[in-house]
Amino acid sequence: MAQVAPIMDTQFHVLAVDDSIIDRKLIERLLKTSSYQVTVVDSGSKALEFLGLLSDENEGVEIREVGINLIITDYSMPGMTGYELLRKIKGSSYLKDIPVIIMSSENVPSRINRCLEEGAEEFFLKPVQQADVNRIKPHLMREKRQKVTPNSLKRKAMVECLSPEKPRKYNNLCGIFWQNICE
């Protein structure tokens, strides 16, 4: 039986998303200095790919364990904004408990409020500083206590798939999911 490391002995894994190489390098350096494991990507779509949140109505849904404890993303990016990425993550029953922090160089109160109302834990103004990174830890500790494991994902999926209120198309996707899990 696998042993679970105490919370303090575990290195937290942060996914940093930013289209600017300079900002990516800065946030990566700040996070690594604070002893976080960091994965960086340059777009919202690459973040979704890394997280395994790929969907195509014709082919079903791919879900995999991600091992990410927190996501920090830029708001303004080409293609998919940080706000759209936040909505996709919070809309996923498998990823919604991962804390998300939005960062932006623009101090727009309506934008900040919208992100916080949609489920962002924090909104950092760029350039991100060490003091901002220090505010991450409480969100990681809360998430770590609710750590998603492969077995908890399976239980959650089973409960959701067996729910009689779900539409037929959703039940078909659950069948595809269970087929992949059981193989």
Side-chain angles (χ1 to χ4, degrees):
M1 184 157 117
Q3 291 186 347
V4 177
I7 290 174
M8 292 303 191
D9 295 338
T10 304
Q11 187 177 33
F12 294 107
H13 190 179
V14 177
L15 176 62
V17 187
D18 201 314
D19 60 315
S20 163
I21 184 129
I22 294 167
D23 289 327
R24 269 197 321 272
K25 292 294 183 187
L26 173 63
I27 192 69
E28 181 179 22
R29 184 176 53 79
L30 288 170
L31 289 166
K32 284 185 174 180
T33 299
S34 297
S35 300
Y36 295 113
Q37 178 185 348
V38 183
T39 299
V40 293
V41 295
D42 63 3
S43 70
S45 59
K46 286 184 182 171
L48 290 178
E49 183 180 335
F50 179 82
L51 293 168
L53 192 62
L54 305 175
S55 67
D56 183 331
E57 292 188 342
N58 298 326
E59 296 183 26
V61 178
E62 177 189 335
I63 300 167
R64 65 182 173 93
E65 183 180 8
V66 294
I68 292 292
N69 303 102
L70 183 129
I71 299 163
I72 184 164
T73 180
D74 184 24
Y75 181 90
S76 298
M77 296 183 289
M80 178 186 298
T81 67
Y83 177 73
E84 292 166 333
L85 177 60
L86 169 69
R87 292 195 64 202
K88 288 188 180 288
I89 290 165
K90 295 304 177 181
S92 164
S93 59
Y94 304 101
L95 301 174
K96 69 180 179 185
D97 294 328
I98 297 175
V100 178
I101 294 174
I102 305 286
M103 53 187 174
S104 178
S105 57
E106 300 169 351
N107 188 0
V108 181
S110 61
R111 178 182 293 174
I112 294 169
N113 289 335
R114 187 171 68 165
C115 289
L116 294 173
E117 287 170 2
E118 194 64 41
E121 304 295 327
E122 299 267 356
F123 195 103
F124 294 161
L125 289 176
K126 290 181 178 182
V128 175
Q129 300 177 10
Q130 190 62 49
D132 297 318
V133 171
N134 294 343
R135 291 179 16 217
I136 290 174
K137 192 71 153 195
H139 303 297
L140 289 166
M141 299 306 286
R142 179 181 53 92
E143 192 275 337
K144 198 66 173 175
R145 287 190 294 269
Q146 306 170 5
K147 183 67 179 154
V148 176
T149 64
N151 285 336
S152 69
L153 277 177
K154 288 177 188 176
R155 278 193 303 275
K156 188 173 190 173
M158 184 170 65
V159 168
E160 287 197 12
C161 287
L162 297 177
S163 175
E165 308 85 51
K166 299 294 181 186
R168 182 181 176 110
K169 183 175 183 180
Y170 182 84
N171 287 329
N172 289 341
L173 290 175
C174 286
I176 293 167
F177 172 73
W178 279 108
Q179 204 171 25
N180 291 329
I181 290 284
C182 295
E183 288 178 346

